[in-house]
Amino acid sequence: RVNELCEEKKDEMSLDGPPLHSWWALLPPPLDVVVGLRQVHFLSEYWRIVRDEPYDKDIITEELFPFIACKERFTLKKFFRTPSMWFWFTKDMQDFDFEFLKD
């Protein structure tokens, strides 16, 4: 449902498409936390826009844990090979170049 709501406001949210893979909800812990946090983030952004509230930078999602607010709909492989989107202390790390992580 979050993807459907985001589709309604995709221009205001600067999204090219749905931000989440719905099948990620079936992942075992701790990977299901990734999609759960992203669902909460995009749902709160949707309601901020619906309520016409001003944007206020979210340091937690935009700086400390950038994977949460990433507007790109990424695959598990991309998530695992891109440490710069994981945490604030990995933001300057280079991508992993393993054959099995390529799309």
Side-chain angles (χ1 to χ4, degrees):
R1 181 85 173 113
V2 173
N3 281 341
E4 294 170 13
L5 293 173
C6 288
E7 183 68 26
E8 293 174 15
K9 302 290 182 188
K10 71 178 184 179
D11 292 336
E12 294 95 326
M13 295 175 77
S14 303
L15 296 172
D16 291 331
L20 306 166
H21 289 287
S22 55
W23 61 266
W24 276 41
L26 301 175
L27 293 172
L31 294 176
D32 62 338
V33 172
V34 172
V35 75
L37 291 170
R38 287 176 54 81
Q39 284 177 332
V40 170
H41 169 75
F42 285 105
L43 192 57
S44 69
E45 281 298 295
Y46 169 83
W47 283 109
R48 178 189 64 78
I49 291 167
V50 167
R51 294 177 181 148
D52 200 28
E53 294 176 357
Y55 169 78
D56 189 18
K57 184 174 181 167
D58 185 348
I59 294 173
I60 301 296
T61 65
E62 294 179 36
E63 292 183 17
L64 299 181
F65 303 99
F67 72 87
I68 297 172
C70 180
K71 294 183 186 282
E72 177 186 352
R73 184 180 183 183
F74 52 83
T75 64
L76 277 177
K77 287 184 176 185
K78 176 155 181 141
F79 180 68
F80 287 133
R81 76 170 179 259
T82 315
S84 60
M85 68 172 24
W86 298 348
F87 308 107
W88 71 98
F89 57 87
T90 62
K91 69 178 181 177
D92 295 325
M93 289 179 66
Q94 297 295 317
D95 288 357
F96 297 125
D97 191 23
F98 296 118
E99 192 62 36
F100 69 93
L101 288 178
K102 293 184 179 173
D103 287 327

